[in-house]
Amino acid sequence: MRAVRIHNTLGGKIEQLAPLSPPRVSMFVCGITPYKPSHIGHGRAAVVYDVVAKLLRRVGYHVFYLQNVTDIDDKVLKIATEEGRDWNAISEGNFQSYLQSMRRLHVDSVNFYARCTDYVNEILEQIETLIAKGHAYASDGDVYYDVGSFPAFGALSGQRMEMLEPGVRIEVNPRKRAPEDFALWKGEKLGPRWKSPWGDGRPGWHIEDTAIAVNVLGSRYDIHGGGMELKFPHHEAEIAQAEGATGKSPLASIWMHHNMLNMRGEKMSKSLGNVVGLDETLRQFRPEVVRYFLLSAHYRSPLDYLGPESLEEAGRALETLRVGYDRLISQIEENLAKTFPREVPLPGGGRAYFQDFREWIDRAPLLYPADPQHRSGDRVEDEMMNALLDDFNVREATARLFSFNSELHATLEAQGRSLQEEDLVALLRPYDLASTVLGYFSPARSRDSAASLSAAVELALECRAQAKQRKDYAEADRIRKQLSEAGIEVEDSAHGPKWRLKT
RNA sequence: GCCGAGGUGGCAGAACGGCUAAUGCGGCAGACUGCAGAUCUGCUUUCCGGGGGUUCAACUCCCUCCCUCGGCUCCA
């Protein structure tokens, strides 16, 4: 298995992933609090960890990817009060809309979304354990974590508790023993309540993550992901809770933190009125374009959203790749559609059988042995993999793909028709990697342009060819323009007209 | 104030202690085309926040300052 290098916030260095029980990799990512509709910043987080999970699977790991949903929270309740709505309807509605956006974005790597409210029993158990072990105390219906009992608190974020005092407004809470203690359980008189040994109430902010993670993944797991803004106090609290309760350390071997999506240099926030909705964005731009944009900066760097022009630029860049990819597929169809092998030996033994060409072309990149020494496509795929395996350097991998894309045109121009099966499959590999791991292309779109659409366009092109033959260019241009307005781009070439769907 | 992340050409954004500092977008010119598009070629003249230092050599390592972003704890 190839080595995966990841930046670990715990220690601040890039290190090699060493799973607790290979080939399994357990991964927990802090999910959303669905108190309002998601914005494109949430999309960034989702796409970043989607790439992480898909890349790990691509190199052979069996990834279990868990995400929590904080469906009960102060913010949810605040909105519920303000709008006079049921808190559950708010969080469930926003969560369902988030899931729909995820489907559109092809974020399909998450194995399990766990709702906080489905884990209240586990939360209560963990709190009781923490009290029993002297890490927490009950106080007038609430339960607080005793931060002083956990000396490592602050290690992840480099915060020293003594230094937090200056500049911080400390709100007086007589139920706490120390100001840095945080709530595990909140006694409630109003709003949703669950029974507990300390009276009715609801979970505190941090506890659901560890109750869920420890119950689903175990007391230790491989990767924890989340936004930088959660480093302190949220992730510190997670470490204190889980390690305090289980006695096992470290909770996660690798802590990944992605950087924020800014809005023209400012934080994207509701009060500034600069939130760009994810759902709305996906209505205006193709999902692959949104993914390309969200991946256009390294995950640990801030990404600036300048407005729709950012997505338009992403669309133009992607179009350049798509033209090459489509051209390659056409060439493969031309060379192999009739003669593609109906059975192919599998790398691990056995054989794969194909009756359909499209099925073959989809699977081919993973069925044929790669030869990076001799074939440019294989070499480029290898270089892209190396970049991705080095702390997920998507941008570097993409740069390789662009260079390859340029060369491809010359290759096809010179030797297109004479290229054999293995060579064509090799040329396909860089695009396949970009498609399956990065999500730059939607296979359905590039190939399954329904036969009926194809027939209709061919007919229109035939009319246009006749018009051109009698030098009626006005008519020829009219046909091309109308097709263009319908999203079908026609291009004349030495081998006759070609057409494609616009991005 | 403290902790953390970032400051690279018109814009976006990579890399490495040492080859002309990638790649994309945009702009200009040329080839191809009936025109367009796509593609190709060339150009877009000395881009690495400021200042010190280490080194034969720094965007890359160290120090310091400046700027931007996030965080510095819940309690409807």
Side-chain angles (χ1 to χ4, degrees):
Chain A
M1 203 110 56
R2 300 177 72 164
V4 187
R5 290 155 43 78
I6 307 178
H7 177 89
N8 192 353
T9 306
L10 208 56
K13 292 199 189 79
I14 290 180
E15 57 184 69
Q16 193 172 317
L17 175 69
L20 294 165
S21 47
R24 292 189 197 183
V25 170
S26 45
M27 179 165 150
F28 178 90
V29 172
C30 284
I32 57 163
T33 299
Y35 71 103
K36 62 175 185 182
S38 299
H39 59 246
I40 54 180
H42 298 119
R44 183 180 192 194
V47 169
V48 162
Y49 296 108
D50 184 58
V51 169
V52 170
K54 284 174 174 166
L55 182 69
L56 294 178
R57 285 178 185 143
R58 175 90 172 201
V59 299
Y61 287 113
H62 301 326
V63 177
F64 189 89
Y65 176 4
L66 168 68
Q67 209 173 57
N68 73 300
V69 184
T70 309
D71 59 346
I72 179 72
D73 170 89
D74 295 343
K75 289 173 180 162
V76 175
L77 295 174
K78 183 160 180 265
I79 302 259
T81 308
E82 280 169 12
E83 300 183 358
R85 294 168 61 200
D86 178 44
W87 65 272
N88 193 41
I90 291 170
S91 42
E92 194 57 24
N94 286 142
F95 177 53
Q96 288 305 326
S97 149
Y98 173 78
L99 285 181
Q100 198 193 342
S101 296
M102 291 303 107
R103 280 191 291 273
R104 282 205 223 147
L105 269 177
H106 308 302
V107 172
D108 49 11
S109 54
V110 179
N111 292 281
F112 183 38
Y113 289 96
R115 289 174 181 78
C116 174
T117 53
D118 289 335
Y119 281 82
V120 174
N121 288 336
E122 287 78 1
I123 288 169
L124 291 170
E125 271 171 42
Q126 197 168 74
I127 295 174
E128 288 188 82
T129 305
L130 285 170
I131 293 178
K133 292 196 173 185
H135 285 299
Y137 56 91
S139 176
D140 193 24
D142 293 344
V143 180
Y144 292 97
Y145 194 97
D146 178 9
V147 171
S149 75
F150 192 79
F153 196 88
L156 178 73
S157 59
Q159 298 279 354
R160 320 223 96 266
M161 293 319 294
E162 315 84 71
M163 291 172 120
L164 288 178
E165 302 303 321
V168 177
R169 76 258 178 230
I170 298 168
E171 291 179 49
V172 183
N173 181 341
R175 284 166 294 185
K176 284 186 187 179
R177 288 183 194 162
E180 64 267 27
D181 291 351
F182 56 88
L184 298 173
W185 189 257
K186 299 175 176 190
E188 281 299 336
K189 291 163 205 77
L190 304 165
R193 286 172 291 179
W194 287 264
K195 295 236 175 290
S196 90
W198 318 283
D200 289 359
R202 61 185 172 84
W205 173 27
H206 318 290
I207 190 73
E208 85 278 10
D209 280 9
T210 50
I212 289 168
V214 168
N215 275 278
V216 177
L217 302 179
S219 52
R220 291 184 58 198
Y221 51 88
D222 297 305
I223 299 174
H224 182 118
M228 292 208 339
E229 85 280 14
L230 296 175
K231 238 187 263 182
F232 186 92
H234 186 242
H235 293 156
E236 297 287 2
E238 279 188 50
I239 291 171
Q241 289 163 356
E243 296 185 7
T246 67
K248 304 273 174 52
S249 171
L251 170 62
S253 305
I254 293 184
W255 285 79
M256 289 181 65
H257 290 278
H258 66 274
N259 217 132
M260 302 292 90
L261 184 107
N262 292 324
M263 182 72 175
R264 294 192 187 94
E266 284 180 315
K267 179 196 177 187
M268 188 171 278
S269 94
K270 205 169 66 168
S271 56
L272 289 165
N274 60 2
V275 171
V276 178
L278 184 56
D279 181 61
E280 171 197 338
T281 301
L282 283 166
R283 255 196 284 267
Q284 290 172 296
F285 294 91
R286 302 201 53 80
E288 309 89 81
V289 171
V290 178
R291 281 187 74 113
Y292 182 93
F293 166 68
L294 292 172
L295 291 171
S296 64
H298 184 86
Y299 76 95
R300 282 190 286 117
S301 301
L303 174 63
D304 209 22
Y305 179 76
L306 303 170
E309 54 267 38
S310 292
L311 289 159
E312 283 156 13
E313 185 186 322
R316 285 190 297 269
L318 213 44
E319 180 74 2
T320 303
L321 293 174
R322 164 160 295 288
V323 168
Y325 190 18
D326 283 351
R327 182 172 176 182
L328 174 60
I329 288 180
S330 303
Q331 186 68 256
I332 296 177
E333 274 174 342
E334 198 182 314
N335 294 14
L336 296 176
K338 300 242 160 43
T339 60
F340 74 95
R342 310 285 154 151
E343 56 175 287
V344 178
L346 291 166
R351 307 181 81 74
Y353 297 91
F354 299 99
Q355 36 187 305
D356 179 46
F357 174 67
R358 293 182 198 292
E359 211 181 308
W360 175 81
I361 206 172
D362 272 340
R363 303 272 315 276
L366 293 174
L367 289 180
Y368 286 71
D371 182 4
Q373 295 295 319
H374 298 102
R375 285 194 284 259
S376 70
D378 291 338
R379 193 190 70 241
V380 170
E381 188 210 21
D382 199 52
E383 288 169 355
M384 289 172 68
M385 273 306 268
N386 285 336
L388 293 175
L389 292 171
D390 187 13
D391 200 29
F392 311 104
N393 195 338
V394 173
R395 193 68 195 201
E396 176 69 24
T398 304
R400 297 269 157 224
L401 181 62
F402 269 107
S403 304
F404 173 75
N405 189 253
S406 292
E407 292 162 21
L408 177 84
H409 288 287
T411 306
L412 293 183
E413 195 65 48
Q415 2 162 357
R417 282 163 189 255
S418 62
L419 287 171
Q420 300 301 302
E421 201 177 312
E422 283 83 3
D423 299 311
L424 289 165
V425 170
L427 293 174
L428 205 49
R429 282 201 179 94
Y431 297 102
D432 179 68
L433 181 61
S435 175
T436 55
V437 173
L438 303 178
Y440 284 177
F441 311 106
S442 147
R445 184 159 177 267
S446 74
R447 290 165 220 174
D448 292 355
S449 18
S452 53
L453 171 65
S454 180
V457 175
E458 296 301 335
L459 181 64
L461 289 181
E462 209 177 291
C463 294
R464 181 165 171 268
Q466 285 171 9
K468 279 176 70 172
Q469 215 158 38
R470 58 176 190 267
K471 303 243 190 273
D472 183 357
Y473 293 121
E475 174 67 4
D477 288 350
R478 193 188 64 82
I479 293 172
R480 186 172 63 193
K481 185 154 173 272
Q482 281 214 345
L483 286 171
S484 170
E485 279 162 6
I488 294 155
E489 203 62 53
V490 175
E491 295 165 4
D492 291 328
S493 77
H495 311 295
K498 300 220 159 119
W499 63 275
R500 63 191 161 81
L501 294 172
K502 279 196 274 198
T503 298

